[in-house]
Structures are given as structure tokens and as C-alpha cells.
Amino acid sequence: MTINETQDEIIEEFEGLSDWMDRYAYIIDLGNTLPEFPEKDKNPQNLIEGCQSRVWITADKQEDSKIHFQADSDALIVKGIVALLMRVLNNHTPQEILDADLYFIDKIGLKEHLSPTRSNGLLAMVKQIHNYALAYKMLEEKKA
């Protein structure tokens, strides 16, 4: 699936949830779908600055040039938000990630239903994912 197809799928899922209590419950459930995050990777190097909760994200470039992310958080809602980002951006090329317009965040009303500190954390997570993509893109260009 493309990034936009995944975003459209998420928007459709959220349209089926009428109130924000249901949406928060769904976001928490999504957080429980994240693969187990290695304890050794819960270190300061992988910790996202700017998040109220603790969030860790790692990235590995696969042989097919796609980036595989792993993530975790110590807060339930934030873990669900991270799961949404992983669902949209995981296993795509650096260029696809850098070109992505993450419109699903506004379309599902997430930004307006987060506290200012959680919104800042979301921006920090997106920025870190972009930084990983940019670094891998630059490495690719050096090899070419």
C-alpha cells in the first residue's frame, strides 16, 4: 500500500467512530499492536526529544532500500499515536517518507484533540522519522 492509501484507510476507520472516547480507545488498542520493542534500544540515543512521555524510535534500512521503524512509548495514548505513524510510514523508501503529506492527522481530528504538549510530541516524532529518512537518503546518494 502507498502512504496515501494507508492514510485514507485510517481516515475511513476513524469515520466509523462517532465520539472521541471511542477514538481514544481505538488509538490505545492500536498501541497494543506494536511489535515488542527491544529493551536495549530504550536508550537516550533513541529517545525523542520534545515529548512529554517517553518515546523511542529506531530505524533500519532494509536491502530493498525501505526503512523499517520500531517504536514504543511508556504512555498508552502516545503509544497508539506512534502506532499510527508506524502504520503509515513504516517500510517505505526514504524519498516516499520525505515526500509524504501526513494529512490523516488533521482529517481524523487528532491534532485538535491532543493537549499542546502531546501535539508537540507528535511533531517531534514526525520530525525524527523525517530525520532518519533524510539520513538514509543522503547515504544512498553518497553510494551512487
Side-chain angles (χ1 to χ4, degrees):
M1 279 184 116
T2 68
I3 288 174
N4 286 350
E5 287 170 341
T6 304
Q7 290 189 91
D8 292 341
E9 188 177 84
I10 290 169
I11 291 165
E12 196 173 301
E13 289 167 10
F14 273 79
E15 284 172 352
L17 303 169
S18 55
D19 68 39
W20 267 92
M21 291 314 291
D22 290 340
R23 289 179 178 207
Y24 284 132
Y26 185 62
I27 290 170
I28 290 168
D29 287 345
L30 288 174
N32 294 327
T33 67
L34 281 177
E36 191 70 30
F37 192 83
E39 279 301 315
K40 69 176 179 52
D41 289 335
K42 290 184 179 179
N43 59 50
Q45 180 181 330
N46 298 322
L47 193 62
I48 305 301
E49 295 291 326
C51 291
Q52 181 181 12
S53 310
R54 294 190 310 164
V55 177
W56 301 270
I57 298 176
T58 60
D60 293 301
K61 190 165 161 230
Q62 306 299 299
E63 286 182 25
D64 61 2
S65 294
K66 294 180 178 178
I67 302 175
H68 177 72
F69 294 100
Q70 281 192 282
D72 197 11
S73 176
D74 61 357
L76 294 174
I77 295 267
V78 176
K79 191 171 183 171
I81 293 168
V82 171
L84 283 169
L85 289 174
M86 294 297 103
R87 185 169 157 195
V88 171
L89 298 171
N90 202 16
N91 298 316
H92 287 281
T93 66
Q95 193 62 56
E96 289 170 335
I97 293 166
L98 292 170
D99 290 344
D101 169 22
L102 299 179
Y103 58 84
F104 83 96
I105 294 168
D106 287 330
K107 293 265 188 185
I108 65 173
L110 187 57
K111 210 178 238 180
E112 66 195 52
H113 285 88
L114 292 178
S115 67
T117 52
R118 286 235 164 94
S119 282
N120 289 341
L122 173 59
L123 292 174
M125 288 182 259
V126 170
K127 183 179 177 184
Q128 183 58 48
I129 291 167
H130 275 196
N131 286 344
Y132 278 128
L134 187 58
Y136 281 121
K137 181 180 184 223
M138 292 173 76
L139 283 173
E140 278 177 359
E141 289 172 355
K142 267 189 176 177
K143 288 180 184 177

